[in-house]
Amino acid sequence: MLNLGAEHFGQMAAHARAGLPNESCGLFAGEISGDTKTVKAVYCLKNTDASPEHFSMAPEDQFTAIKDIRKKGLTLLGNFHSHPLTPARPSEEDIRLAFDPSLSYIIISLKDPEPVLKSFIVHAGTVTEEAVQV
Ligand SMILES: [Zn+2]
């Protein structure tokens, strides 16, 4: 299960809205205890693709985020990106690029007036939705 504070959800949703019409992306980190991942920090990164259908996280932003995660003694829990016009489901490309089964892949859909957030675990091309508690 993924425990997400309302402020973290807000940070991701605000970043997603600010990036429109393009996809936005970022990383999040926190602590793992048993089956529960608790988010403690969200990092809003630049989408260097500047595209409504793709994202690539700016390498310098990733570097800065990873450095901060280490400094805070947190664990990288996963990444997030937005779908400006489509539902919060991983695209074929998202699945293809999700190579780490230990990470959570959050997608925020802005298709509807209220942002919809879902988290997924991808293992060898198989997608499982992960429970999220906000
Ligand atoms: Zn996607």
Side-chain angles (χ1 to χ4, degrees):
M1 195 192 54
L2 190 67
N3 246 320
L4 191 69
E7 72 276 24
H8 300 130
F9 179 73
Q11 268 179 283
M12 292 179 187
H15 183 53
R17 281 194 169 123
L20 288 173
N22 295 328
E23 289 194 4
S24 299
C25 55
L27 297 170
F28 54 94
E31 288 163 1
I32 303 176
S33 164
D35 285 341
T36 304
K37 303 170 180 172
T38 302
V39 177
K40 302 268 183 189
V42 170
Y43 301 89
C44 296
L45 273 53
K46 185 172 173 224
N47 175 8
T48 55
D49 286 351
S51 154
E53 287 164 5
H54 303 275
F55 73 96
S56 299
M57 291 186 268
E60 64 274 23
D61 288 0
Q62 287 191 62
F63 181 74
T64 307
I66 297 295
K67 228 169 66 176
D68 191 70
I69 291 167
R70 288 214 188 105
K71 198 178 81 188
K72 292 190 165 119
L74 300 175
T75 304
L76 176 68
L77 297 179
N79 65 48
F80 69 94
H81 74 282
S82 63
H83 281 178
L85 300 168
T86 54
R89 271 198 307 266
S91 66
E92 272 175 42
E93 189 187 14
D94 292 337
I95 296 167
R96 194 165 51 77
L97 296 175
F99 56 88
D100 190 338
S102 73
L103 295 181
S104 298
Y105 292 86
I106 285 182
I107 298 175
I108 300 162
S109 170
L110 298 175
K111 186 170 87 61
D112 298 316
E114 286 303 312
V116 174
L117 180 149
K118 288 186 179 168
S119 181
F120 302 90
I121 305 287
V122 184
H123 193 199
T126 303
V127 180
T128 313
E129 190 174 341
E130 179 179 38
V132 179
Q133 192 183 314
V134 178

